[in-house]
């Protein structure tokens, strides 16, 4: 059997790379035989070490006061300055995470105070994973941060800029425990630039509000994305991470050859894993190295990063990540069958199959740079199934060629859903589209609270609002990418507190199929509506004060309770009940004695509602 030359010698390498990504950086550097952009000594003299130590300690122990974090940071900085061996000089940080975790567990009072003594009683990987697992619940107990007044901020910044910025990093880190350290430092650098500007502005308070709103938006979005990536890695492992990274790298750098993409994928995946493990130092250092490498290889990777590469280090990463994809190289054959070479899939070893599919992802993605990652993953999964099936057929090539229609179905389904969603958004508008989503998702996940359902569907409307403003050819990729994120967080919610079997199946069975699975899920078959309770319908004169969004939310809470009470509620029933409710409000809010009206008419409204629903 003739195989492409690259397949013969690189297959064993990529098997290790795809299936068993090593945690050790030494293995990462030497075991694979792939030239890494990250090769360097672990000896660190990082200039941001103080800030990185603050991020590490605060993200692992969000409840700790700034004084307690400062004490741990000071202890680690002192330890770093002492040489640990003849080979390792002072200022060199060897086993990074071990040093930080040892310090976290060093003070027994701290572990007892914040309830992680059980984690500290473990050792090695067990201790590390235990401390990682408590991040979510620990940060939930931290109160929202209120920025000080402009005058107070300006005074504190002027008196001690370093202390002021360290406080900012501390406050951000304890509220966003999954956010990657480079992102925190980048946003902190933005704020560092903004403070002196705002302090000199004609209206400092207004200037601060504008800058803080922009940074807060980036914080929320960045943190949600980082937490999602880490949850997906934890659930589906390294191989899934490698596959998604191949797609993203191939789309961004379609002119790069497979060898170069392979190297980038290995390094980018390693960085994600280190960031998710809470290794703030390596997360930053390796991120900077790979960005530096990308800038040094513009001729073979992409010229679209040229402007980014002129920026300061902390701004560089964000810019490259959000830079547009490079232009596809000329002369790419649209026929992948020609490119993929020998397709006698049935005779391939398991290692060769993995290599073949990695190559497929690369070739397909660089030809379809605007497709959503999840759509390409679904296409690849179906392609592999076709190859497996056709390897048993009498006429294997003909069978494989006929499978093209199956691949096309994934593209058509995604485009059709995007078109349908944007048509609904344009016809109904945000509020009524959200109500439609509320009915659909209350049936799918009735276990969510009203606040959770309203928040979830508001995000869905936000996706429609953002994506449907783009040109039609971008609707699918925009919608799929955003849906992947909000579904990911629904799955994180399910992981913490299981919702129902249908959601569990969609979240756990296949990463690439999460969105289609949730789309096809009509209702929770295991759900039993609770007995009718008048307590769910709070009717008082306070409702008359509700205006605008507050009134909309109140009506949406009524809608959710109606659907939870009767999941099979029809549109006609809903419209009849809400019209009756609106008439009731109008009547009682205009009455001279509102209390009397609500007391008399409220029970009648509830009786009519029960009759209309048949409950």
């Amino acid at each position: 059997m003739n195989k492409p030359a690259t397949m013969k010698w690189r297959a064993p390498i990529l098997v290790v790379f795809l299936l068993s990504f090593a945690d050790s950086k030494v293995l990462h550097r030497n075991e694979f035989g792939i030239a890494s952009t990250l090769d360097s000594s672990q000896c660190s003299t990082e200039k941001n070490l103080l800030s990185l130590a603050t991020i590490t300690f605060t993200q692992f122990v969000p409840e700790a006061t700034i004084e307690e974090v400062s004490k741990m940071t000071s202890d680690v900085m002192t330890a770093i300055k002492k040489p640990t061996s003849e080979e390792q000089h002072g200022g060199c940080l060897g086993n990074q995470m071990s040093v930080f975790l040892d310090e976290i567990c060093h003070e027994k009072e701290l572990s007892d105070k914040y309830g992680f003594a059980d984690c500290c009683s473990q050792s090695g990987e067990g201790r590390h994973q235990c401390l990682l697992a408590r991040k979510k619940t620990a940060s939930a107990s931290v109160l929202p941060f209120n920025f000080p007044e402009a005058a107070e901020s300006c005074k504190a910044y002027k008196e001690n800029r370093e202390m002021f910025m360290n406080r900012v990093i501390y406050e951000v880190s304890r509220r966003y425990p999954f956010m990657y350290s480079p992102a925190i430092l980048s946003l902190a650098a933005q704020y560092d630039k903004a403070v002196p500007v705002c302090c000199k502005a004609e209206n400092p308070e207004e200037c601060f509000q504008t800058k803080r709103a922009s940074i807060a938006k980036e914080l929320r979005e960045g943190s949600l994305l980082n937490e999602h990536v880490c949850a997906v890695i934890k659930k589906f492992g390294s191989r899934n991470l490698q596959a998604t990274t191949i797609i993203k790298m191939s789309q961004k750098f379609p002119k790069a050859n497979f060898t170069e993409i392979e190297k980038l994928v290995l390094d980018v995946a390693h960085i994600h894993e280190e960031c998710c493990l809470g290794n703030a130092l390596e997360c930053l250092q390796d991120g900077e190295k790979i960005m530096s490498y990308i800038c040094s290889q513009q001729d073979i990777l992409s010229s679209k990063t040229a402007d980014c590469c002129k920026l300061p280090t902390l701004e560089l990463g964000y810019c490259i990540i959000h830079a547009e994809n490079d232009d596809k190289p000329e002369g790419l054959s649209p026929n992948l069958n020609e490119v993929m070479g020998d397709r006698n899939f049935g005779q391939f070893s398991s290692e060769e199959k993995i290599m073949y599919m990695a190559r497929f992802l690369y070739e397909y993605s660089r030809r379809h740079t605007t497709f959503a990652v999840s759509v390409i993953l679904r296409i690849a999964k179906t392609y592999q199934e076709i190859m497996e099936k056709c390897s048993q057929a009498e006429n294997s090539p003909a069978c494989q060629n006929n499978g093209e229609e199956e691949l096309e179905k994934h593209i058509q389904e995604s485009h059709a859903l995007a078109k349908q969603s944007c048509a609904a958004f344009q016809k109904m508008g945000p509020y009524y589209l959200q109500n439609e989503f509320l009915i659909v998702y209350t049936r799918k996940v009735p276990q969510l609270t009203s606040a959770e359902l309203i928040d979830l569907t508001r995000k869905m409307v936000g996706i429609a609002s953002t994506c449907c403003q783009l040109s039609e050819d971008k609707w699918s990729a925009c919608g799929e990418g955003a849906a992947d994120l909000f579904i990911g967080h629904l799955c994180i919610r399910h992981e913490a507190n299981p919702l129902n079997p249908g959601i569990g199946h969609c979240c756990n069975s296949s990463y690439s199929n999460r969105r289609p699975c949730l789309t096809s899920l009509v209702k929770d078959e295991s759900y039993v509506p609770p007995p009718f309770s008048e307590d769910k319908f709070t009717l008082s004169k306070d409702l008359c004060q509700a205006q605008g969004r507050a009134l909309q939310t109140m009506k949406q809470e009524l809608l959710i309770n109606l659907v939870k009470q009767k999941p099979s509620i029809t549109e006609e029933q809903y419209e009849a009940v809400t019209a009756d409710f609106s008439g009731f409000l109008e009547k009682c809010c205009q009455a001279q004695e509102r209390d009397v009206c609500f007391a008399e008419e409220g029970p009648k409204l509830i009786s009519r509602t029960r009759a209309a629903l048949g409950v």
Side-chain angles (χ1 to χ4, degrees), residues 361-382:
L361 284 174
Y362 161 73
E363 294 291 0
Y364 193 93
S365 302
R366 69 199 292 249
R367 284 165 172 76
H368 301 90
T369 57
T370 60
F371 279 19
V373 170
S374 55
V375 171
I376 296 179
L377 285 174
R378 292 197 283 274
I379 287 170
K381 186 172 184 289
T382 300

Side-chain angles (χ1 to χ4, degrees), residues 9 157 175 201 308 329 338 360 416 564 591:
W9 70 272
Y157 184 87
R175 288 168 179 83
C308 297
E338 296 175 2
F360 173 82
K564 286 187 177 184

Side-chain angles (χ1 to χ4, degrees), residues 46 48 283-293 313-314:
E46 173 60 52
N48 293 303
C283 179
L284 176 70
Q285 287 181 324
D286 286 353
E288 288 178 349
K289 287 172 193 170
I290 201 164
M291 294 305 166
S292 175
Y293 176 78
T313 304
L314 286 176

Side-chain angles (χ1 to χ4, degrees), residues 18-19 231-242 273:
L18 285 174
L19 292 178
V232 170
I233 292 172
K234 183 179 179 183
K235 173 64 66 178
F236 297 100
S238 295
R239 184 175 176 183
N240 184 82
L241 172 63
Q242 309 293 347
E273 293 194 334

Side-chain angles (χ1 to χ4, degrees), residues 13-14 18 46 50 61 115 139 173 201 250 315 320 335 356 484 542 563 573 606:
I13 296 171
L14 201 73
L18 285 174
E46 173 60 52
L50 180 64
V61 194
S139 63
S173 300
S250 302
E315 298 174 32
I320 289 180
N335 189 346
Y356 186 90
D484 178 52
D542 294 339
V563 177
Q573 287 175 318
I606 291 173

Side-chain angles (χ1 to χ4, degrees), residues 546-565:
Q547 299 292 329
R549 186 162 176 172
L551 181 60
Q552 289 181 344
T553 300
M554 181 181 68
K555 289 181 177 179
Q556 287 175 336
E557 288 173 344
L558 171 64
L559 170 59
I560 291 166
N561 286 328
L562 291 175
V563 177
K564 286 187 177 184
Q565 196 67 58

Side-chain angles (χ1 to χ4, degrees), residues 319-367:
C319 183
I320 289 180
I321 289 167
H322 292 88
E324 63 177 305
N325 295 338
D326 198 9
D327 302 322
K328 288 186 284 187
E330 294 180 6
L332 276 182
S333 171
N335 189 346
L336 270 185
N337 293 342
E338 296 175 2
V339 179
M340 294 305 295
D342 184 355
R343 296 187 295 155
N344 197 350
F345 208 67
Q347 295 183 27
F348 287 174
S349 67
S350 58
E351 292 88 352
E352 288 170 330
K353 287 179 180 179
I354 292 170
M355 180 63 191
Y356 186 90
M357 289 311 302
R359 185 70 187 239
F360 173 82
L361 284 174
Y362 161 73
E363 294 291 0
Y364 193 93
S365 302
R366 69 199 292 249
R367 284 165 172 76

Side-chain angles (χ1 to χ4, degrees), residues 209-400:
Q209 285 179 359
T210 303
K211 296 288 186 184
R212 287 167 179 169
S214 173
I215 291 172
K217 181 175 181 291
E218 286 189 49
L219 274 171
R220 286 193 303 273
E221 292 176 354
S223 178
L224 284 172
L225 178 59
N226 292 159
E227 184 178 7
H228 169 63
V229 170
C230 295
V232 170
I233 292 172
K234 183 179 179 183
K235 173 64 66 178
F236 297 100
S238 295
R239 184 175 176 183
N240 184 82
L241 172 63
Q242 309 293 347
T244 57
T245 310
I246 287 173
I247 296 170
K248 291 177 181 178
M249 292 293 103
S250 302
Q251 288 182 323
K252 186 167 284 292
F253 307 124
K255 292 175 184 173
N257 62 39
F258 184 53
T259 303
E260 196 65 36
I261 292 298
E262 187 180 32
K263 178 166 61 176
L264 286 172
V265 166
L266 174 65
D267 292 342
V268 169
H270 176 75
I271 291 166
H272 276 299
E273 293 194 334
E274 288 303 323
C275 295
C276 291
L277 288 171
N279 193 336
L281 181 57
E282 193 164 325
C283 179
L284 176 70
Q285 287 181 324
D286 286 353
E288 288 178 349
K289 287 172 193 170
I290 201 164
M291 294 305 166
S292 175
Y293 176 78
I294 289 170
C295 286
S296 72
Q297 302 293 323
Q298 291 179 51
D299 55 332
I300 61 172
L301 292 177
S302 171
S303 58
K304 298 291 177 76
T305 59
D307 289 339
C308 297
C309 295
K310 299 172 185 175
L311 296 173
T313 304
L314 286 176
E315 298 174 32
L316 178 60
Y318 182 89
C319 183
I320 289 180
I321 289 167
H322 292 88
E324 63 177 305
N325 295 338
D326 198 9
D327 302 322
K328 288 186 284 187
E330 294 180 6
L332 276 182
S333 171
N335 189 346
L336 270 185
N337 293 342
E338 296 175 2
V339 179
M340 294 305 295
D342 184 355
R343 296 187 295 155
N344 197 350
F345 208 67
Q347 295 183 27
F348 287 174
S349 67
S350 58
E351 292 88 352
E352 288 170 330
K353 287 179 180 179
I354 292 170
M355 180 63 191
Y356 186 90
M357 289 311 302
R359 185 70 187 239
F360 173 82
L361 284 174
Y362 161 73
E363 294 291 0
Y364 193 93
S365 302
R366 69 199 292 249
R367 284 165 172 76
H368 301 90
T369 57
T370 60
F371 279 19
V373 170
S374 55
V375 171
I376 296 179
L377 285 174
R378 292 197 283 274
I379 287 170
K381 186 172 184 289
T382 300
Y383 180 78
Q384 182 166 358
E385 289 168 357
I386 291 169
M387 298 295 283
E388 295 280 7
K389 181 185 74 172
C390 291
S391 66
Q392 309 299 321
E394 288 186 12
N395 189 340
S396 182
C399 174
Q400 291 167 6

